[in-house]
Amino acid sequence: MGAEETIREYYEALRRGEPLYPYFAERDDATKFGVGERLVGYDAIAEGLREQSRTTDDWTVESSALRVVERDDVARFTDDVALSWTDVEADERRSFDTRWSGTLERHDGEWLFTSMHVSAPHEL
């Protein structure tokens, strides 16, 4: 599977409510910036994604501009993604037009995120 397929699989896992932390490299310098969060290191990313899964439901993820460049064992990507989910604690539906970017590295034949940045034109 290539880097693009890994990214699309991540989107599908988000839609299905499956664990997302396995898509990240187990590194202290891995980073994930979300619409309202900043996570540094695999442990923080894994905990943040477990909390996200616990407190959200019914994700819609609509990619419209995925671009991926793969070179050897490193890949970069950008995308425009319409995101919606239900905040189960607030019982509120949230929707954002977001921009995604990041890097992946191939480890033992598997592409893993080493950085991911998701931004929106307004805050939560």
Side-chain angles (χ1 to χ4, degrees):
M1 175 180 344
E4 182 173 343
E5 290 81 12
T6 298
I7 295 163
R8 292 189 187 283
E9 186 178 281
Y10 180 89
Y11 294 165
E12 278 300 317
L14 181 56
R15 288 182 192 104
R16 292 188 301 256
E18 296 174 353
L20 299 172
Y21 59 88
Y23 290 89
F24 285 82
E26 292 187 40
R27 295 172 36 164
D28 290 338
D29 63 347
T31 57
K32 181 185 179 296
F33 292 82
V35 173
E37 68 187 356
R38 179 181 188 271
L39 304 170
V40 178
Y42 178 79
D43 291 341
I45 293 168
E47 179 56 33
L49 289 170
R50 280 193 287 272
E51 181 68 7
Q52 174 182 296
S53 293
R54 186 186 72 73
T55 60
T56 63
D57 194 16
D58 192 28
W59 282 81
T60 300
V61 183
E62 296 175 3
S63 167
S64 63
L66 181 60
R67 297 186 61 136
V68 181
V69 175
E70 260 183 57
R71 291 216 168 75
D72 300 320
D73 291 333
V74 177
R76 301 183 310 275
F77 78 98
T78 61
D79 201 358
D80 295 330
V81 180
L83 284 180
S84 296
W85 69 90
T86 300
D87 179 329
V88 296
E89 293 178 333
D91 193 28
E92 184 177 340
R93 188 81 179 149
R94 301 191 185 271
S95 296
F96 293 91
D97 290 322
T98 61
R99 298 173 299 264
W100 294 49
S101 62
T103 57
L104 299 92
E105 292 181 7
R106 189 175 11 223
H107 296 273
D108 298 324
E110 181 180 19
W111 286 99
L112 299 170
F113 293 103
T114 55
S115 71
M116 178 185 289
H117 186 264
V118 179
S119 62
H122 54 88
E123 298 198 21
L124 285 173

